[in-house]
Amino acid sequence: MIRDVLIIEAEASVADSLTSALSGCGLGSRVTADGKAGLDMAQEARPEAIILCAELPRMSGYSICAKLKKDPELKNIPLVFTSAEASESTFEHHKKLKVRADDY
């Protein structure tokens, strides 16, 4: 069972909702609103899963996804991509890329 989820989400209310939902399922989480900090946290802490928002300060979620999925030590971490602004067609295009999230 997954116990450690990294949430990289710019909107505090969304991050709070995700944290609460995960906690209700018995899962722990760490949260950051900053893209660069999120990438650093993933590299240092090696979470068991990542929830990643596309719209982030300092580094976009798309860039973070690419970096995570190209890293041999991080590429197998399940990654769920979220967005308040991306259209379904944006995610459909992203799904066709070589480095992509596990779910959207």
Side-chain angles (χ1 to χ4, degrees):
M1 175 183 265
I2 296 172
R3 296 274 178 215
D4 178 33
V5 179
L6 174 59
I7 301 170
I8 308 172
E9 171 60 59
E11 294 293 324
S13 61
V14 174
D16 290 345
S17 293
L18 289 168
T19 300
S20 179
L22 291 169
S23 177
C25 295
L27 304 174
S29 60
R30 281 178 272 168
V31 177
T32 183
D34 181 272
K36 175 70 171 104
L39 181 59
D40 292 343
M41 288 172 74
Q43 291 169 332
E44 293 169 14
R46 306 275 194 272
E48 293 180 57
I50 299 170
I51 300 173
L52 174 62
C53 177
E55 302 84 22
L56 295 167
R58 295 184 56 195
M59 181 181 276
S60 79
Y62 298 104
S63 295
I64 294 169
C65 179
K67 289 180 184 299
L68 290 170
K69 292 302 183 177
K70 287 179 181 177
D71 185 318
E73 294 184 27
L74 302 174
K75 68 181 182 182
N76 293 321
I77 296 173
L79 188 145
V80 177
F81 222 144
T82 65
S83 175
E85 298 175 16
S87 67
E88 193 68 32
S89 64
T90 302
F91 279 159
E92 287 302 317
H93 173 72
H94 196 260
K95 288 178 186 178
K96 295 175 185 173
L97 299 177
K98 193 174 201 177
V99 288
R100 60 187 174 275
D102 297 289
D103 206 350
Y104 296 81

